[in-house]
Amino acid sequence: MSEVRVRFAPSPTGFFHIGSARTALFNWLYARKTGGKFVLRIEDTDKERNTPEALQVLLDGMKWLGMDWDEGPEKDGEYGPYFQSQRGEIYDKHLQILRDKGLAYDKEGAVFFKVSDKPQIIEDKVRGRVERTEEKDFVIYRSDGSPVFHFVNVVDDMTMGITHVIRGEDHLSNTSKHTELFKAFGATEPVFAHIPLILKQSGPGKMSKRDKGALIEEYQDKQFLPSAVRNYLCLLGWSPKDDREVMTIDEILEEYDFKGIQKGSAKFDEKKMAFINTEHLRQLPLETFSWMASPVLNEAGLIDEDTDEDYFQKVMMLAQPKVNSLDTLAEYVGYFFDDDFAYDEKVTAKLSKKGNPAEKVAEAKEALEGLENWTEKSVEGAFMKLAEDQGQEKPFPWFPSVRWAVSGAGGGPDLLPLLVVLGKDKVVARFERAIAQN
Ligand code: GLU
């Protein structure tokens, strides 16, 4: 069998829509799965919209998602140029071929392709057998001399040796025009696989670029893990046999095939995306998590080059199993790095309903400040003693006030490890601050 060659053929618009990213990914997966080539071809015939900035958004998004291409911009390849704007001669030559065969003719300034009137049968890998007859000749060159999409798309797929066309279902209705053209050139048609539309989360219709969560840039800005976004994109229209959701790229590659692609539309689900991101965050090695967290906390002004590395690592160890996203990390761990943290007013109010929290904090201070050892065990022991002295079985009644005093918050990492990581000096100082202020 000849080598698989697939392509992603975007028209840069300045946005990288998740639908496009998903199409790119399904092609990339197929190439990586089969050991074939993944070609990036830029369909930049619309001069107004196709700016270098628009191209950059696309290339950055592709790289961020780890979808490396074998041929295309920034890469060599035998089948270039990979920009349609640079392939004018190739198109003109192919127009001549059709003219010579008597399959192209001029009318009212435009060039028309003469259809065969025969039914076009497409054995689509996703949709199954699709039949359609093109009844009318269609334009392949406009009167301004520019070739139209159907023509350039087919000429490129043909001259770039594309074996499989994997693209959005919105192109299914174009495919009979395309097979007409392939046949006219005497070329072998590629295998087609039309992947389902992505519908918006609520309400009818296709996800548009205005819908929340529709652009890859949003996930980049919100510090999502690219591995998680890629995992989620795979699930938009594809699922493995056992319906697993959280998967590494190797597991996906192992399972990926056309059979797993559904016919029906896929629905975007923001919550599932967030869930998968959290799961990927949990599975990172601590070192990687810290490495990713570092610039985020630096940007938030919480750490700098003077921050103690050991302390930073310990905080990360507490945060990784708990925090839901890198985007909320600064909020989650802020008080570890900022002695001047604010007390959450709602938490203060809630605690105050049961008496003055400062009193509980004062009792905890007395119980803990004399400790020589500062370990989870010793701190727990001191709390137990405090409880017993007051005729209680467990020290839990003190915990919310203590947490509030050292963090200002109502939730967070488990309290004992939290106190140990903060260290005795910080804990006692924070007790004093809470007592003085409240
Ligand atoms: N430029 C087209 C698009 O972005 C490519 C269609 C195709 O993959 O054939 O929709």
Side-chain angles (χ1 to χ4, degrees), residues 139-210:
V139 175
I140 50 174
Y141 266 70
R142 298 183 194 85
S143 48
D144 66 3
S146 62
V148 305
F149 162 71
H150 304 299
F151 181 78
V152 293
N153 188 264
V154 167
V155 169
D156 286 348
D157 284 342
M158 197 170 70
T159 53
M160 291 182 176
I162 299 303
T163 57
H164 295 69
V165 168
I166 305 169
R167 61 184 173 192
E169 192 189 293
D170 45 333
H171 286 291
L172 184 60
S173 58
N174 294 326
T175 307
S176 44
K177 288 194 176 65
H178 298 180
T179 55
E180 280 273 2
L181 285 164
F182 279 110
K183 290 192 183 95
F185 285 114
T188 319
E189 293 158 39
V191 174
F192 290 96
H194 285 90
I195 58 183
L197 297 179
I198 302 175
L199 303 180
K200 52 175 104 196
Q201 177 149 333
S202 51
K206 237 174 97 170
M207 189 122 174
S208 88
K209 66 169 188 276
R210 283 169 299 278

Side-chain angles (χ1 to χ4, degrees), residues 18-19 22-23 25-26 29 125-127 166-169 193-199 230-240 243-245 252 256-269 272:
I18 60 166
R22 196 266 320 245
T23 299
L25 184 57
F26 280 27
L29 285 170
K125 284 285 175 198
V126 178
R127 311 293 311 187
I166 305 169
R167 61 184 173 192
E169 192 189 293
H194 285 90
I195 58 183
L197 297 179
I198 302 175
L199 303 180
R230 191 172 55 190
N231 183 170
Y232 180 64
L233 289 179
C234 287
L235 301 178
L236 284 171
W238 175 82
S239 49
D243 283 333
R244 245 177 313 162
E245 292 190 326
I252 291 166
Y256 184 78
D257 62 6
F258 288 137
K259 283 199 206 88
I261 302 178
Q262 72 201 42
K263 274 201 190 97
S265 303
K267 210 173 189 49
F268 178 70
D269 182 345
K272 190 181 280 187

